[in-house]
Amino acid sequence: AQSNSPSPHLTSGLAVAAWNPAMATIDGAVIVVPAELKDTILRDGYRCTRRRRIPCSRDKNAALLAYQRFYPGRQHAFLKVVMLPPGIIADVHKDGYKINTSHLPGRYISLDRSISPAPRFATTPNFGAFGFAAPAPAPAQFAPPRRSPSGLFDSHPTQLSLDEIFFTQDSCADHFQNGMLLSATKRELESGHKTPADIETITVVRHNNRWLTVDNRRVCVYKRVYPGHYPIPVRIGIEDDRFLAKLKQPRGGTSIVVRGRGF
């Protein structure tokens, strides 16, 4: 007779905890989310469309430290995974799991009301005028040109890391041309409801050995959400009169001020 208790199986070197009706939890798995989004996530579920798998941890301190690297100084909430949906499995990974679904419905998540670990920061956050962490100081020299595996300069990349993309303007509006606020797009990206692949591809132009974007508002949002090494899809533009007329870089293109209600 087969046992009804969950048993780990080895798949590609990872232990896999298979779902069965007797499995009530995946053993203390928690997800750290922005505090202001927890109610929405509890109602609509947790989405992770970028990775297609939902990461969760059994170590609250490690989970919180990882969260703070991306959102320094931002309030957090712990959610616990109470059960895996039927047919979904979770790979044991490092100090937690990766749940093999891009959407975990709200009924499988609950608010973890146990005592949270004290906040820790790898570095002291520097808060800007609008309460968000200010970008790290720009290096003394600009990022070197991207190079292909052959060592030659890649003049037509299909994606660039955010650290390689500079602004063409010193300020931008707090909303897009369709009226949508930058802050609304920021929340969609942070919650996983959207990824850069779901948004119109930005255009970059090669100018003075740097990649400059003409889509300053989208890049502004991306730089607030993702780390500098995060890859962004790009398309290549030309250095024409329209581009040069838009070029206003008193800050060297490393930062931008959001006008209006801020961001």
Side-chain angles (χ1 to χ4, degrees):
Q2 293 182 344
S3 171
N4 288 327
S5 61
S7 59
H9 304 280
L10 291 179
T11 302
S12 301
L14 292 175
V16 177
W19 180 90
N20 66 62
M23 185 180 229
T25 67
I26 52 173
D27 203 17
V30 296
I31 302 170
V32 190
V33 300
E36 73 272 18
L37 298 177
K38 65 175 173 53
D39 291 335
T40 300
I41 295 172
L42 288 169
R43 182 186 69 237
D44 300 336
Y46 186 93
R47 297 181 185 274
C48 193
T49 54
R50 176 164 60 93
R51 295 187 183 93
R52 302 294 177 185
R53 295 199 300 170
I54 296 175
C56 49
S57 178
R58 289 173 291 181
D59 184 336
K60 279 189 174 182
N61 282 296
L64 182 56
L65 192 59
Y67 171 87
Q68 290 170 338
R69 282 198 296 267
F70 287 92
Y71 308 111
R74 189 169 180 181
Q75 293 296 313
H76 67 276
F78 282 102
L79 304 181
K80 61 183 178 182
V81 181
V82 297
M83 179 182 288
L84 291 176
I88 300 300
I89 62 173
D91 298 339
V92 178
H93 181 74
K94 295 182 180 180
D95 61 356
Y97 303 95
K98 287 196 173 180
I99 304 172
N100 288 283
T101 180
S102 61
H103 178 223
L104 191 62
R107 63 182 176 276
Y108 298 103
I109 312 169
S110 68
L111 183 63
D112 188 337
R113 299 182 182 277
S114 59
I115 298 175
S116 300
R120 296 185 298 169
F121 295 96
T123 57
T124 302
N126 176 22
F127 295 101
F130 301 106
F132 294 94
Q141 295 181 340
F142 295 118
R146 171 179 287 266
R147 296 188 177 274
S148 67
S150 66
L152 300 175
F153 169 67
D154 182 1
S155 61
H156 291 86
T158 56
Q159 65 179 27
L160 293 168
S161 67
L162 281 170
D163 281 338
E164 296 177 283
I165 303 172
F166 296 85
F167 297 107
T168 50
Q169 295 180 307
D170 63 334
S171 67
C172 66
D174 64 352
H175 59 277
F176 294 102
Q177 291 183 353
N178 64 1
M180 186 173 186
L181 292 174
L182 304 192
S183 56
T185 299
K186 179 174 179 283
R187 287 193 296 270
E188 288 183 329
L189 292 169
E190 289 173 334
S191 66
H193 286 279
K194 280 188 178 180
T195 72
D198 301 315
I199 298 173
E200 184 179 353
T201 302
I202 67 167
T203 298
V204 294
V205 174
R206 191 72 180 170
H207 176 77
N208 289 343
N209 294 322
R210 296 188 296 163
W211 290 111
L212 275 61
T213 182
V214 297
D215 299 307
N216 293 277
R217 284 171 287 193
R218 269 171 276 167
V219 172
C220 178
V221 174
Y222 294 155
K223 284 179 179 278
R224 296 290 181 94
V225 175
Y226 302 113
H229 59 79
Y230 189 83
I232 298 294
V234 299
R235 60 187 176 191
I236 308 304
I238 59 174
E239 190 177 9
D240 57 9
D241 291 340
R242 290 185 303 169
F243 169 80
L244 294 174
K246 198 169 186 176
L247 192 57
K248 299 175 183 177
Q249 290 185 304
R251 297 179 180 83
T254 58
S255 63
I256 194 167
V257 173
V258 179
R259 302 189 301 269
R261 286 167 284 184
F263 172 45

